[in-house]
Amino acid sequence: MANICCDDVIFYTEGNPEGLYDLWEDLETYIILNQNPDLCWIGNLFSHKKIDSTGISLRGNVSYMEWNDTYILLSLETAWTPLYEAYQAIAAAYHVPFVMQSIEPGERIYYNTDEAHLFFPDRYCVRLYEESLLTPCGLIIGEKLEDGEPFETETDVLERFRDCGYPATTLKELELMFDADELIIFEFTNPYLDLEQKNACA
C-alpha cells in the first residue's frame, strides 16, 4: 500500500475569473466527494475535459473542495508524492495559476511552492516523535506542541520552545537539544522552483 501524500492546491485568478469559474463548474460536475474513490478521482476531470495526461501521475483522490471567488482550494490524498504535473496540466487547461503545499512525512516531503506565502504561509513543520518528553521547565512537551504543527517563521518556532524551557537562539541550536528520534524541524522547500522560473520565461 502506498504512503499517503496530502496535497493542498490553490488555483487562483490573475485577471481570468472566467477560467477559475469554468474550473469550479467542472470540478463540481466531475468530482463527487463521497466514499467511492472512483467518483472523487482527479483523473475524472482529465477524462471529461480531455486534458492530456501522458506521462502524468493521476494517483490521487480529492477529499475537499472550496470555492472563494478569487481562488479554489483542492485537498487531495495522493500516492507517495505530490501530483505537481497534474496540477500544472489543470492550470494550463483553464489558464489559471496555482500554488501547492504537500506533506508526506514518511518520504520527508514538506513542499510549499507559494514563494510569496500568500496562501500557504507556513515555512516550518515540527515532527514530535516523543510526546511524553519532559521539558526543562517540567512540562510534558506533547501538552504544549502537536506533532506536525506548522510555523510561519523561525521566531515563532523558537518562541514556542522558549516557553517550554529551551533557550535556543537558532533552529540549529534548538535541534541539538534533542535526539533525532525525539524531534525534527523540517523546513518547507520548493523543488519545482527552477521549472516554474523556466515556464515563466517561456
Side-chain angles (χ1 to χ4, degrees), residues 136-191:
C137 58
L139 298 171
I140 296 174
I141 197 167
E143 296 177 356
K144 298 289 289 184
L145 185 73
E146 292 184 18
D147 178 35
E149 187 168 344
F151 292 87
E152 294 185 18
T153 68
E154 179 175 345
T155 300
D156 291 339
V157 179
L158 295 173
E159 286 181 353
R160 175 68 65 83
F161 279 89
R162 199 171 292 127
D163 290 343
C164 295
Y166 299 94
T169 56
T170 66
L171 292 181
K172 178 64 73 175
E173 183 181 340
L174 177 61
E175 285 191 308
L176 291 175
M177 297 178 178
F178 295 91
D179 293 332
D181 60 351
E182 294 176 335
L183 178 144
I184 298 179
I185 301 169
F186 291 96
E187 183 173 3
F188 284 95
T189 60
N190 182 2

Side-chain angles (χ1 to χ4, degrees), residues 5-12 14 82-85 87-88 91 96-103 109-123 187-197 199:
C5 180
C6 296
D7 291 354
D8 286 329
V9 190
I10 294 278
F11 296 93
Y12 59 98
E14 283 187 341
L83 302 185
Y84 182 82
E85 291 78 10
Y87 311 138
Q88 267 190 319
V96 291
F98 79 98
V99 290
M100 174 194 81
Q101 180 171 285
S102 299
I103 297 177
I109 290 174
Y110 294 88
Y111 295 164
N112 186 351
T113 70
D114 184 6
E115 292 295 308
H117 297 279
L118 295 175
F119 297 103
F120 300 119
D122 301 329
R123 287 178 166 85
E187 183 173 3
F188 284 95
T189 60
N190 182 2
Y192 311 102
L193 188 57
D194 289 344
L195 180 60
E196 291 172 351
Q197 290 174 340
N199 290 338

